[in-house]
Amino acid sequence: MGVVNVTPDSFSDGGACADPRAAIARVEQVIEEGAAIVDIGGESTRPGAAAVSPAEELDRVMPVIEHAVRRPVVVSVDTSRPEVIRAATRVGVHMVNDVRALGLPGAVAAVAASQVAVCLTHMQGSPADMQDDPHYDDVVGEVAAFLAARVAACGRAGIARERIAIDPGFGFGKTLAHNVELLRRLDVLAATGLPVLAGLSRKRMIGAITGRAVGERLAGSVAAAVIAVQRGACIVRAHDVAATVDALRILAAVDGGDER
Ligand code: 9MG
């Protein structure tokens, strides 16, 4: 899954694709580099990011989505808002990637009213406060239980299990120790039988382990992606698509798996 942030304040690319033309060029780049999925988002969820109105979020993402759905790639919209979900599904998006796990009022119903896939991500707190003092007694157990409850809520609304992927939410209300434990034991989430998505690319945990600034986290991010797939992830969300695809092709050749 290649990242396309249509935001002026993304932590990972400094707003390089805030302009829709740049974002559309970025869609073409991630397809060219081998991404199977393109994830298009108009809200930055980094701690302290400025709030964006629904109208502004729609203005940012819709032109990019309308381009992407005509290209040979699975298109995911990275959003939590029901109005954005509805607009994106109307024009043919294939997947909703929600770091709030469809927690906003109306979000479950918006996905249920469509046929699209959804990724449910764990977050403790909200983007504004999630890194203040994250606490768990059993991070893996609590994340797994939260995701199971969200999958059940989707099921009650009529969203078939086959449409759902889950994600431990690396960096979303977690310390470095929590993130490392979740990556080490990703197999616990994979054992649910649901596809697991892992988003580790360029994140603070990669910086904390390597001592590298955000623009220097390629090797660390690729290593983390490989480990995630070895432990059961079947989608990895990445900024550096070409390097990540190469690494996963090597892994697939050795392990006999399939990186897509
Ligand atoms: C949008 N976004 C940023 N980080 C993410 C992550 O780790 N997982 C998912 N599913 N989406 C993310």
Side-chain angles (χ1 to χ4, degrees):
M1 170 184 271
V3 177
V4 178
N5 286 321
V6 200
T7 57
D9 56 351
S10 158
F11 85 96
S12 52
D13 60 20
C17 299
D19 164 42
R21 278 168 309 184
I24 286 170
R26 169 77 183 150
V27 167
E28 292 304 312
Q29 180 190 5
V30 304
I31 295 172
E32 175 69 25
E33 291 186 8
I37 307 172
V38 55
D39 189 39
I40 300 166
E43 179 205 11
S44 172
T45 47
R46 71 174 168 76
V52 59
S53 70
E56 175 67 21
E57 191 180 337
L58 282 166
D59 278 354
R60 289 179 184 179
V61 298
M62 290 310 294
V64 188
I65 289 173
E66 282 165 10
H67 171 85
V69 293
R70 297 198 305 267
R71 306 291 293 129
V73 71
V74 172
V75 182
S76 162
V77 58
D78 157 18
T79 191
S80 299
R81 288 202 162 106
E83 48 273 70
V84 179
I85 295 172
R86 281 192 295 271
T89 54
R90 262 198 303 272
V91 300
V93 86
H94 307 100
M95 175 174 174
V96 173
N97 174 30
D98 184 6
V99 297
R100 296 179 182 81
L102 303 183
L104 293 191
V108 169
V111 170
S114 75
Q115 290 303 314
V116 303
V118 61
C119 178
L120 305 170
T121 297
H122 176 272
M123 175 170 11
Q124 186 179 85
S126 68
D129 63 13
M130 65 189 178
Q131 289 308 115
D132 287 352
D133 187 21
H135 174 82
Y136 303 84
D137 293 321
D138 164 14
V139 66
V140 175
E142 288 169 46
V143 166
F146 169 87
L147 292 171
R150 297 309 298 155
V151 170
C154 286
R156 287 193 297 276
I159 302 171
R161 200 174 160 84
E162 293 68 34
R163 292 167 57 190
I164 301 175
I166 54 172
D167 181 337
F170 292 103
F172 288 110
K174 280 110 188 163
T175 63
L176 174 60
H178 297 141
N179 287 318
V180 170
E181 180 72 359
L182 283 164
L183 182 54
R184 181 184 296 120
R185 298 183 50 209
L186 203 60
D187 59 302
V188 172
L189 295 186
T192 61
L194 293 165
V196 174
L197 189 157
L200 294 141
S201 180
R202 298 187 186 174
K203 283 200 176 165
R204 193 185 298 188
M205 70 178 279
I206 307 295
I209 295 169
T210 60
R212 301 266 180 206
V214 70
E216 301 170 343
R217 295 180 188 164
L218 172 61
S221 300
V222 170
V226 169
I227 293 166
V229 173
Q230 284 181 316
R231 293 175 192 222
C234 60
I235 305 171
V236 290
R237 189 174 179 276
H239 300 86
D240 300 292
V241 173
T244 307
V245 168
D246 279 359
L248 295 180
R249 284 191 174 139
I250 301 292
L251 178 64
V254 173
D255 280 358
D258 182 355
E259 79 277 19
R260 282 175 201 275

